[in-house]
Amino acid sequence: MVHRLRRRPSWLRLFRHPQKRPRCLPHPRTLFCFAVFSILSCWLILPYDNTIRQATRWTLQNIQSIFLPLRSSEKWVFANPPTYPVSLTTDTLVIVKTGYGTRHRLNPWFEALSIGNNNTAASLHDFLIIADFATNPKTHIQFQNQTLPVYDVVSETIFNREVLLHHESSHPRFKKYRQLQGAISSGDSDLAMKLSKSMGWELDALKFLSGLELAYQKFPSKKWYILADDDTYLVRTSLLPLLSNLDSSEAHYIGNAVGDFKTRFAHGGSSVILSQGAMRKLIVENPRKLALSQVESLDEVWGDRLLARALVRVGVFLEEKYSRLFNGEGPRYSRVKADRLCSPVVAFHGLAKEEDMLQVGRWFGNSTGVVLWGDLWDIVSQEGQDGWEGVEWSWREQAKEEGSAVLTDGAGDGESDFSTSSTSHTEAKEKNLKMEGKNGVHKNWDHVVRFDENVVVVEGVPSPEDCAMKCRGSNSRFMRSKCLAWTWEADKALGGKKKIRAGKCYLAPWMVFGQNSMGRSSGVNQVRLRELEESCLRG
């Protein structure tokens, strides 16, 4: 018997669940394009100084530094003819920043600069001095037949219309500035000096933007504007090829990079360089954004960071690839690292004492070529100082002691590509090496000097020679790639008929000309330095 399925009544079909059609998912390529479009749209909408945008730039730069070579090529230094010819005499303005408490540095600053500052393309001629006080005709600075007044640019900030609208007259910096001016006008120089030393940094932050505005007002056609402190020395022969490599009509902001991802800025003490394009963008094209930065200056701690934030607002960012050319220290304590051994050095900082500034002027004023980081020891050792007589030796000589040829003037085919300082390496060879031991151990000396978190400390090293071996990487390839100088310090002596020494070994990723340090022994990584210098010509 066949049973037939009874059809469900038509009215029951109304309650039947509709069949679900399969969803059509977007193609992965479409999703990717949409994500990229969304990110780019957000990136374009965000202001230049947005934290997300700043953090992204910081991350990308760190990633780039990992995959790029340790040392970038510096062939542009010797480009002939230069890409963008520049005359320091006619195309640059140096803005010298000082204060009432440091005004005594101005005369040594100009005296040091006058050494070798002849009428050549590498001579500086135009200057603007900015401060928290003003000079009168009797106290103006005299330099090479020029009379240079000191301009009080802090008053320009204090009495700026936008600043007055946003800040009460009772703001602490208003009061401090009025106190300083009152002491100066009353002739109480002791009180003025005391006030200047106690509040100098606060008033210093008010000089940057107003100083640049004044500079552009008085010298609107300069290609380059260089902001330098009164304890900063500019190496003219290194500055010239740097500027000749860049187009001044484009926005360039160059200096020694410091800071975190929120704000990367050029360290003011190491000098700051701005192109005509950057100045025009900041001062001419965006006056409202500049005024906003002026308002913020009364609450900013560091003026160089304030300047960076003002530039970021208008889309001008620090070019960190040139950071290694700037130096925040004096020549004797400059930390020479692997990434800059063959790079030019443009500026020195921390020369507050008159004798230090004049000494550096004698060392570098008559240089006839580009001064490289690797040349500093040869130049510094020309003239002995109290406490380090006899330290007339070159790290190149140490490298040669290891049995390998070192690049010198006239090496190879007779050309000198990287030995360009006023002191030839041939002269350095003739110097009396005060070295002891086959591993280049220099007793009672320190080539590390600064013992921070970047210095590796190895305990229980029995001798200076063993410390030198660790720096050269006999036990660790990682150490060889990082260590450029070492210092050994005796830690303790064990008893017995024959005393066994043990000490600490400090391994640094830099080398310093150094200083006397009783009880310590020090040296450099000859193997690594030889490899780095030989790579200069290949770069």
Side-chain angles (χ1 to χ4, degrees), residues 464-483:
E465 290 77 14
D466 290 304
C467 187
M469 291 294 288
K470 288 186 177 297
C471 183
R472 290 193 300 175
S474 59
N475 299 323
S476 171
R477 187 175 181 181
F478 172 78
M479 285 299 180
R480 176 179 176 179
S481 66
K482 295 291 184 182
C483 179

Side-chain angles (χ1 to χ4, degrees), residues 88-101:
L88 296 185
T89 305
T90 59
D91 297 329
T92 63
L93 172 69
V94 180
I95 307 165
V96 186
K97 184 165 61 67
T98 187
Y100 187 84

Side-chain angles (χ1 to χ4, degrees), residues 296-491:
E296 293 176 351
S297 66
L298 264 72
D299 298 313
E300 176 57 67
V301 178
W302 298 322
D304 41 13
R305 184 172 64 183
L306 172 73
L307 173 59
R309 287 175 175 170
L311 289 167
V312 167
R313 276 198 177 100
V314 300
V316 179
F317 298 90
L318 179 63
E319 298 180 50
E320 298 197 27
K321 63 181 178 180
Y322 297 109
S323 179
R324 64 184 179 277
L325 309 183
F326 296 83
N327 189 0
E329 300 158 317
R332 185 178 171 188
Y333 297 104
S334 295
R335 288 178 287 183
V336 183
K337 300 179 181 179
D339 66 338
R340 62 198 64 188
L341 185 73
C342 307
S343 298
V345 56
V346 170
F348 297 104
H349 180 52
L351 307 172
K353 295 181 180 179
E354 178 179 352
E355 56 271 23
D356 292 341
M357 178 64 74
L358 295 178
Q359 177 69 80
V360 172
R362 289 192 293 269
W363 280 338
F364 301 96
N366 292 313
S367 297
T368 57
V370 179
V371 177
L372 308 180
W373 283 85
D375 295 328
L376 294 185
W377 284 19
D378 291 342
I379 296 173
V380 170
S381 63
Q382 291 180 73
E383 190 173 337
Q385 298 277 322
D386 292 339
W388 51 292
E389 295 85 351
V391 191
E392 299 185 0
W393 54 275
S394 167
W395 62 265
R396 291 184 174 92
E397 293 290 350
Q398 294 189 62
K400 189 176 179 182
E401 289 293 305
E402 292 294 311
S404 174
V406 179
L407 300 178
T408 59
D409 289 343
D413 57 359
E415 297 181 357
S416 177
D417 287 340
F418 280 87
S419 300
T420 54
S421 70
S422 58
T423 305
S424 69
H425 301 160
T426 304
E427 294 175 359
K429 293 179 187 177
E430 298 172 355
K431 293 180 178 180
N432 181 26
L433 300 181
K434 302 293 183 179
M435 306 298 295
E436 302 182 28
K438 63 181 180 179
N439 287 321
V441 178
H442 190 190
K443 291 187 177 180
N444 297 322
W445 199 258
D446 183 10
H447 290 300
V448 175
V449 178
R450 295 197 176 187
F451 301 90
D452 60 18
E453 68 276 3
N454 296 307
V455 175
V456 177
V457 183
V458 182
E459 302 276 357
V461 179
S463 69
E465 290 77 14
D466 290 304
C467 187
M469 291 294 288
K470 288 186 177 297
C471 183
R472 290 193 300 175
S474 59
N475 299 323
S476 171
R477 187 175 181 181
F478 172 78
M479 285 299 180
R480 176 179 176 179
S481 66
K482 295 291 184 182
C483 179
L484 284 186
W486 58 270
T487 292
W488 182 86
E489 181 179 32
D491 190 27

Side-chain angles (χ1 to χ4, degrees), residues 183-198:
I184 294 173
S185 60
S186 65
D188 192 344
S189 59
D190 292 337
L191 176 59
M193 284 292 293
K194 182 179 179 180
L195 292 171
S196 181
K197 290 180 179 180
S198 65

